[in-house]
Structure formats: C-alpha cells, structure tokens
Amino acid sequence: MTFTKKIALSVNGVQKQAEVEPRLLLAHFLREDLNLTGTHIGCDTSQCGACTVMLNGEVVKSCTVLAVQADGAQVTTVEGLGDMEHLHPIQQGFWEKHGLQCGFCTPGVMISMVGLLKENPDPSEEEIRDALEGVICRCTGYQFIVSAVQHAAKLIAEADQSKETMTSAGEGR
C-alpha cells in the first residue's frame, strides 16, 4: 500500500491538484505528472541547475524540493514565461542573441536569469556570470548567454520606460 498526500498548487498560473507520494521530487512531479518537460533533470544532486524553477517568486532547483513542500505554492517553469506570440524578454534575448546551443540547460538558465533581473534590472557581465554559477552549460563559454541576458535587461528597461511614458501621457488629459 502506497501512502499519498493531496497537494494543490498553482503552476504557471493554473491551479493543479494531485495525489503524490511524499518522497516525490518537484522536478519529477512537473515532468512526469504535469508533462512540463522544460524542467530538465540532469543530475538529481542540485549541481547542474537544469531543473531550476521559481517557487513563490524565488529561484530554486526543483530536484531539491519535494512536491509536498510546494503544496499551496506558486510555481513558474520555463513554459510559464511566455509563448511564441508573446515571448518573455529573456526568451527574446536568447532568440535574438543566440544564447543557447543544445538547449538542455536553457530552461534553468532562463529561470535563473529571470530571478536575477527581478533583483537587479541592470546587471554587469560579472554579476550575470556570478548568477550563472548554479547552472552548468557544457556547450558554450557563456558569452552568448551573457549577451542574451544583457539584451533582455535592455528590453525590460525599454518596456518599463514605455509604460512610464504612456502613464504620464494619460495623466495629462
């Protein structure tokens, strides 16, 4: 007889409920139960960062979190960042600046960098490289990734400036 626990959480803005074994890792729950295969499992030891997601707005490696620990939480995976018609700035940055090669680490890198840009909207190259320490990319020298993140930061700043301009124009009526 297998013991399970009922959990409820928001994943990419959609409420999900499931019965899970208490030992099930969040990474496996996302991939196997919810079919969100952008969350990659590279090492199961929290070394590679391919499984990185946001849990209640904080960047975490989902191989270090049990699914039951996410009960009541908000989880964002790479699938929740944007879609082909409305790319998130980090996705657009990776697209325009060729920030990926094989793509295996890319979801974890993107989520990690969304977290960085939330805390630091204008990071230096060194700050980006420091934030990348938790995600291993075996294909690149990270330069295209750094360029993609810098481009995403610029896109976010431009969008924020545009919103401010529109708000200011609306107040003058």
Side-chain angles (χ1 to χ4, degrees):
M1 179 172 189
T2 304
F3 174 73
T4 61
K5 180 169 180 350
K6 187 173 185 170
I7 61 170
L9 62 158
S10 172
V11 180
N12 299 329
V14 178
Q15 274 306 121
K16 301 288 184 179
Q17 293 184 358
E19 292 273 340
V20 299
E21 290 186 36
R23 65 184 179 166
L24 181 68
L25 293 173
L26 181 58
H28 293 286
F29 174 71
L30 294 169
R31 286 186 60 80
E32 296 161 15
D33 293 13
L34 300 184
N35 201 32
L36 295 171
T37 57
T39 302
H40 294 159
I41 300 167
C43 67
D44 273 333
T45 61
S46 78
Q47 300 300 307
C48 75
C51 68
T52 302
V53 300
M54 293 192 97
L55 182 65
N56 293 329
E58 299 296 319
V59 174
V60 300
K61 294 177 181 176
S62 62
C63 73
T64 66
V65 178
L66 298 171
V68 295
Q69 291 175 299
D71 187 25
Q74 292 183 347
V75 177
T76 304
T77 68
V78 71
E79 292 93 344
L81 293 180
D83 57 39
M84 287 303 294
E85 293 168 14
H86 302 96
L87 293 177
H88 184 282
I90 199 75
Q91 293 169 315
Q92 188 172 346
F94 270 69
W95 176 266
E96 292 178 7
K97 298 298 179 182
H98 311 287
L100 64 112
Q101 285 190 4
C102 83
F104 191 80
C105 70
T106 304
V109 170
M110 284 185 175
I111 293 289
S112 293
M113 295 301 97
V114 167
L116 170 66
L117 294 175
K118 187 173 88 171
E119 292 177 18
N120 180 355
D122 188 25
S124 66
E125 180 174 342
E126 183 179 342
E127 290 168 323
I128 293 168
R129 288 182 180 277
D130 285 346
L132 283 168
E133 282 186 12
V135 185
I136 296 172
C137 176
R138 297 176 193 262
C139 298
T140 72
Y142 295 95
Q143 188 55 50
F144 288 126
I145 292 171
V146 170
S147 297
V149 175
Q150 290 172 325
H151 186 62
K154 180 180 168 196
L155 293 172
I156 292 168
E158 289 171 357
D160 289 347
Q161 183 63 36
S162 178
K163 286 178 190 173
E164 277 183 32
T165 302
M166 290 175 67
T167 302
S168 297
E171 292 173 0
R173 290 184 188 176

